[in-house]
Amino acid sequence: MSYFSALLLSVLSWLSVAAANTQCHDESFVPDAVLRVTQQNITQSCLASKSNVLINGTSPGPELRLLEGQTYWIRVYNDMTANNVTMHWHGLSMAVSPFSDGTPSVSQWPIPPAHFFDYEIHVPVGMAGTYFYHSHVGFQAVSASGPLIVDDIHVPYYYDDEKIIFIQDTFTNDFETIEEGLVHNPLVWSGEAAAILVNGKGGGSANGTACNASLSVIDVEPGKTYRLRFIGGTALTFSSLAIEGHSSLEVIEADGSYTQKTNTSYLQVAAGQRYSVLLHTLPNPTQSTYYIQLESRERPTITRGFAILNYGASSPPSTFYPPPNSILSLPNSTIGFLDYQLHPLNPTSFPPSSAVSRTVTLTVHQAVRGMTIWLENHYPWVETFPTEPYLISLYKDDGIEFPSMERALQNSGLDPVSRAFPAEIGEVIDIVLLNTGADSGGLDAHPWHAHGRHFWDLGSGNGTYDAVENEAKWNGKQPALRDTTMLYRYGTSTGNGTVQGWRAWRLEVTEPGVWMVHCHILQHMLMGMQTVWVMGNETEVLDKVPRPEVEGYLTYGGDVYGNESHWPTAVHYFDTWAENQ
């Protein structure tokens, strides 16, 4: 079954539901996985111990492994005493489970302290690949995240084994101090990344200051083929990386979508991005260990980190430390890395330009209004706006109104009253993101991520976006499906409001719901670089699961949130669909 046949089946499934299946998750209900979120002091790299949000006591959290075509329930406990939490399943479409996307200002109330919430996750056939999960509250995802792998029913590429390389960064201050500074008037910046971590460990340097912390070890054997799953779980860092002595990497997957093999000697991995590459290990290695070197890009200073590719015996374990100096000369930031080079492994239903009904322009701008904020088409979206999750407000009809397409068409796609971007089911839209000079003239690079479904990535460039010229670049080939791609900067500064850099996507609107589209740099998200999209009309969005079945989702701490004295009641979307077939 193709990716889009599977997605169509998912959409048709909720249309087939006669009535919601509401079940009490009492002691007889056994979730497929349990994640417990705590706040603890831990030491990372060379930094002093500080407060972090952990999942099952670690950062990154435990690996979750799912199989495409199956439905899972994952229970998330908020064991913190003073902070809310949600969990977002980055890259997976929650089309039929609208309250399981884990976005607290959009689709669900957060999980209160001392409560738990059961997330229903269905993975359509065709979405096997590399994903991750993370908190979507504040700055918690700097540590509260972990790998999520969806296994194939039939693996299209051969490899002997696979390894996860989960990339994080960490900062001098704790997550609460950083968050308070980012929303302060005036801005108190988080500082640059103090370390780059691989699988929770890392040493190297930050702005020239050395850190001699122990490194993560990736064990391999000679003469074999490994699938390396790189996951960009960073808050800020846009990583350039390569492997000493191994200059041939074959990209086979980007953001959960298989691609035709594409050769590269290095990778660039931004926050939210994932790549799988095939690594053919040396048949006769001349040394037992090789360094994996990572460096930050598009920042005022360089943070460097390392890990170890280990051909030596894995037992007894050895402790490895970073080299005194750089091992590799990594390239500078490659603007347009892999643009126009990645093509789907199997043909998709990529709509031609003639099918595009309209183009939505999303203009990004940093402004100082006392606070330093990021505006999209002149409006920010921060955790204090709206005062309740947008989908909840639509159900209750007590706050922000349903977005007006008429107003949106007059404002480059954004309804300024609701601050949401409406879209109609069945339409094909091109989304063009524009990078503009800040009030101060500065420019940043931004990894933009879409919830809800994947888009066809049409590429990027400088100057004025020319749809006809850009379409010709594909020359009969299809672009890859992605969920996170870079809006580059073509200089470090320009005039206030001057456009300098664009990124174009094509989206076929198939999933009714309320979805976020945002920069995945955590600092920028907190400062307002987020947008909300409402796909479908009121009937399509709100009748997925009608009232009264949704009542427990509409109140903070409602009866869908369990605690020590109360079992939750949850709507089973996919169980319902299966029972009605």
Side-chain angles (χ1 to χ4, degrees):
M1 183 184 297
S2 71
Y3 173 84
F4 286 98
S5 296
L7 282 179
L8 179 60
L9 180 61
S10 292
V11 174
L12 291 177
S13 70
W14 67 263
L15 291 171
S16 304
V17 176
N21 180 357
T22 304
Q23 298 184 22
C24 178
H25 285 191
D26 58 17
E27 65 273 2
S28 65
F29 177 81
V30 180
D32 298 286
V34 173
L35 302 178
R36 304 202 74 116
V37 180
T38 57
Q39 183 175 346
Q40 301 176 43
N41 287 346
I42 64 169
T43 300
Q44 295 175 299
S45 190
C46 293
L47 302 179
S49 177
K50 65 179 185 295
S51 179
N52 281 274
V53 179
L54 306 181
I55 301 177
N56 291 11
T58 65
S59 179
E63 174 188 329
L64 296 180
R65 202 117 198 160
L66 313 180
L67 179 66
E68 62 177 344
Q70 302 297 311
T71 301
Y72 298 85
W73 284 90
I74 300 178
R75 176 165 292 177
V76 177
Y77 285 89
N78 183 1
D79 292 329
M80 295 185 287
T81 59
N83 289 305
N84 294 321
V85 74
T86 64
M87 205 60 69
H88 171 58
W89 319 98
H90 183 102
L92 293 181
S93 171
M94 296 293 103
V96 186
S97 305
F99 300 104
S100 285
D101 192 48
T103 47
S105 59
V106 177
S107 65
Q108 74 164 115
W109 286 108
I111 307 169
H115 286 69
F116 65 88
F117 183 80
D118 291 338
Y119 287 90
E120 184 181 27
I121 298 178
H122 178 79
V123 186
V125 173
M127 286 199 71
T130 307
Y131 303 89
F132 71 111
Y133 59 89
H134 62 81
S135 170
H136 224 294
V137 173
F139 205 72
Q140 294 177 8
V142 69
S143 58
S145 61
L148 190 160
I149 307 301
V150 177
D151 286 322
D152 306 78
I153 296 174
H154 303 290
V155 181
Y157 287 109
Y158 170 80
Y159 47 88
D160 296 294
D161 200 359
E162 62 177 63
K163 304 289 183 178
I164 292 174
I165 300 177
F166 196 89
I167 307 168
Q168 296 170 287
D169 48 13
T170 187
F171 298 81
T172 302
N173 291 322
D174 64 56
F175 74 99
E176 291 174 309
T177 301
I178 290 174
E179 182 175 346
E180 290 170 2
L182 294 171
V183 298
H184 191 265
N185 181 5
L187 170 72
V188 179
W189 178 239
S190 64
E192 298 302 310
I196 299 175
L197 310 176
V198 172
N199 297 342
K201 301 173 71 175
S205 62
N207 197 21
T209 300
C211 167
N212 197 38
S214 63
L215 306 178
S216 287
V217 178
I218 312 297
D219 291 318
V220 297
E221 297 178 15
K224 292 187 178 292
T225 299
Y226 289 86
R227 178 180 185 168
L228 304 183
R229 297 181 184 261
F230 291 90
I231 300 176
T234 54
L236 175 65
T237 300
F238 178 30
S239 301
S240 179
L241 65 92
I243 305 174
E244 178 191 12
H246 300 71
S247 59
S248 179
L249 305 174
E250 295 175 318
V251 176
I252 61 167
E253 178 217 349
D255 296 347
S257 298
Y258 279 112
T259 66
Q260 298 174 24
K261 288 183 179 179
T262 304
N263 292 320
T264 183
S265 60
Y266 67 101
L267 285 178
Q268 289 185 173
V269 185
Q273 291 186 318
R274 294 92 59 215
Y275 292 98
S276 282
V277 305
L278 294 182
L279 173 71
H280 305 287
T281 56
L282 305 174
N284 298 295
T286 58
Q287 54 198 64
S288 61
T289 61
Y290 295 83
Y291 284 105
I292 303 172
Q293 183 172 317
L294 308 91
E295 292 178 355
S296 61
R297 291 291 181 263
E298 301 292 343
R299 302 303 310 163
T301 62
I302 292 178
T303 303
R304 180 177 295 120
F306 296 91
I308 294 292
L309 190 72
N310 179 39
Y311 282 86
S314 59
S315 182
S318 299
T319 301
F320 297 94
Y321 294 94
N325 299 300
S326 175
I327 295 295
L328 301 171
S329 295
L330 295 176
N332 293 325
S333 176
T334 301
I335 294 179
F337 177 70
L338 295 182
D339 283 357
Y340 308 99
Q341 298 180 51
L342 293 181
H343 308 291
L345 176 61
N346 299 308
T348 65
S349 55
F350 173 57
S353 59
S354 59
V356 176
S357 57
R358 61 192 174 103
T359 297
V360 174
T361 302
L362 200 162
T363 303
V364 177
H365 180 75
Q366 188 190 78
V368 179
R369 305 288 188 267
M371 296 171 59
T372 301
I373 57 176
W374 287 97
L375 306 175
E376 294 72 52
N377 293 13
H378 308 295
Y379 294 93
W381 189 288
V382 293
E383 289 192 350
T384 56
F385 177 88
T387 56
E388 65 183 358
Y390 193 94
L391 179 61
I392 304 299
S393 185
L394 293 181
Y395 265 108
K396 294 165 69 174
D397 193 23
D398 67 349
I400 297 175
E401 64 181 89
F402 208 88
S404 162
M405 180 65 78
E406 181 180 358
R407 289 194 297 262
L409 292 175
Q410 298 172 0
N411 292 277
S412 300
L414 173 71
D415 171 17
V417 174
S418 63
R419 299 197 201 176
F421 290 79
E424 297 176 354
I425 299 299
E427 72 170 324
V428 175
I429 56 177
D430 279 359
I431 301 171
V432 179
L433 298 96
L434 300 178
N435 203 354
T436 68
D439 284 1
S440 63
L443 284 162
D444 279 325
H446 309 284
W448 273 81
H449 170 58
H451 294 219
R453 70 157 299 168
H454 293 185
F455 50 80
W456 286 277
D457 187 65
L458 301 180
S460 64
N462 197 6
T464 303
Y465 174 67
D466 186 321
V468 174
E469 178 184 343
N470 194 61
E471 195 82 12
K473 291 182 180 180
W474 290 105
N475 194 26
K477 296 183 178 180
Q478 291 193 347
L481 283 157
R482 303 292 299 271
D483 61 57
T484 310
T485 54
M486 287 296 298
L487 177 60
Y488 292 102
R489 62 179 182 177
Y490 290 78
T492 57
S493 64
T494 188
N496 179 9
T498 301
V499 175
Q500 196 169 93
W502 56 262
R503 165 69 63 181
W505 300 341
R506 184 159 297 163
L507 179 69
E508 185 175 11
V509 182
T510 59
E511 283 86 8
V514 181
W515 313 109
M516 293 196 75
V517 176
H518 61 89
C519 174
H520 214 274
I521 291 174
L522 299 186
Q523 288 89 334
H524 293 176
M525 291 170 62
L526 280 163
M527 295 162 67
M529 196 182 291
Q530 307 180 102
T531 63
V532 172
W533 295 65
V534 179
M535 308 294 192
N537 59 35
E538 292 187 56
T539 299
E540 291 163 331
V541 172
L542 302 182
D543 283 0
K544 278 186 178 182
V545 181
R547 301 177 78 162
E549 285 80 3
V550 299
E551 290 300 329
Y553 295 92
L554 304 186
T555 304
Y556 175 71
D559 65 13
V560 297
Y561 297 87
N563 57 33
E564 283 187 351
S565 60
H566 168 73
W567 293 110
T569 299
V571 174
H572 284 230
Y573 303 92
F574 284 91
D575 289 355
T576 303
W577 169 66
E579 292 168 2
N580 284 275
Q581 299 308 297

